[in-house]
Amino acid sequence: MDIISHGLWGSISFGRKNRRSFWVAFLFGILPDLLAFAPFTIAMVLGLSNHEWQFGEPPNPAGFPAYIYRVYNVSHSLVIFAFVFVALWIVFRRPIWEFSAWGLHIVFDIPTHSTAFFPTPFFWPVSNLEVSGISWGDPIVFIPNILLLATLYAWYFWIRPRRLNRVNIKP
């Protein structure tokens, strides 16, 4: 799934408490991909990488540095996510629900990544099990994703508040 959709799904699922909660969930929703790809992307933009990427063409996975795969394994593992979720719960003495957007990111990536390009290592380091799903860029996945997000956000920001106002309930 694309990075913005991950953030939007995380926010609508776990960030509805207030504006801060929305943005924290958005950040946690995009963080797995940011951790894995942002340093390399910045290096490419600054000309510090010799990797060539044609706009509009899928990048060649063989050209990515090994550290991206290592970070991707960590950031896309439900095992690691669960460990960190519990650790945060212990530290803060309550669950940090916005952090669940990270786990949702992983769950959405499992069926929307193929084994040809960054399959999701969701049980890493326990297992190397991978699922060859349908690419998130395929219209059969991408278009319903956008339509569902648009519908959910329209309901949350326009339809829901109007209904609540009719019965004098604060959203």
Side-chain angles (χ1 to χ4, degrees):
M1 183 171 295
D2 67 283
I3 194 167
I4 300 303
S5 291
H6 278 304
L8 293 172
W9 277 111
S11 293
I12 199 73
S13 300
F14 301 106
R16 296 183 312 235
K17 191 170 21 173
N18 54 42
R19 186 171 284 159
R20 180 183 178 279
S21 176
F22 178 92
W23 289 110
V24 169
F26 185 89
L27 176 64
F28 280 127
I30 66 173
L31 202 56
D33 285 345
L34 277 181
L35 290 173
F37 298 109
F40 181 67
T41 303
I42 291 167
M44 280 181 42
V45 168
L46 296 177
L48 302 173
S49 169
N50 59 1
H51 185 77
E52 292 185 22
W53 191 344
Q54 297 284 336
F55 185 74
E57 296 290 323
N60 179 1
F64 286 102
Y67 76 86
I68 289 180
Y69 291 96
R70 288 192 292 274
V71 173
Y72 189 84
N73 286 346
V74 171
S75 69
H76 285 75
S77 168
L78 288 173
V79 174
I80 302 298
F81 162 76
F83 177 79
V84 175
F85 185 85
V86 169
L88 288 172
W89 191 336
I90 291 167
V91 168
F92 290 101
R93 298 182 185 178
R94 65 178 181 84
I96 307 300
W97 292 116
E98 294 88 352
F99 185 74
S100 298
W102 187 314
L104 186 63
H105 176 122
I106 298 166
V107 168
F108 277 175
D109 271 359
I110 295 168
T112 62
H113 281 237
S114 73
T115 52
F117 189 76
F118 283 96
T120 306
F122 56 99
F123 285 136
W124 185 91
V126 176
S127 168
N128 289 329
L129 178 66
E130 296 172 340
V131 173
S132 190
I134 301 170
S135 169
W136 62 265
D138 189 304
I140 200 165
V141 174
F142 189 76
I143 292 171
N145 172 53
I146 298 303
L147 292 175
L148 191 52
L149 278 170
T151 302
L152 286 171
Y153 274 88
W155 171 80
Y156 187 74
F157 284 111
W158 290 290
I159 298 166
R160 181 180 154 270
R162 288 181 184 164
R163 287 186 177 174
L164 293 176
N165 283 339
R166 275 191 237 147
V167 292
N168 294 323
I169 298 173
K170 237 182 172 170

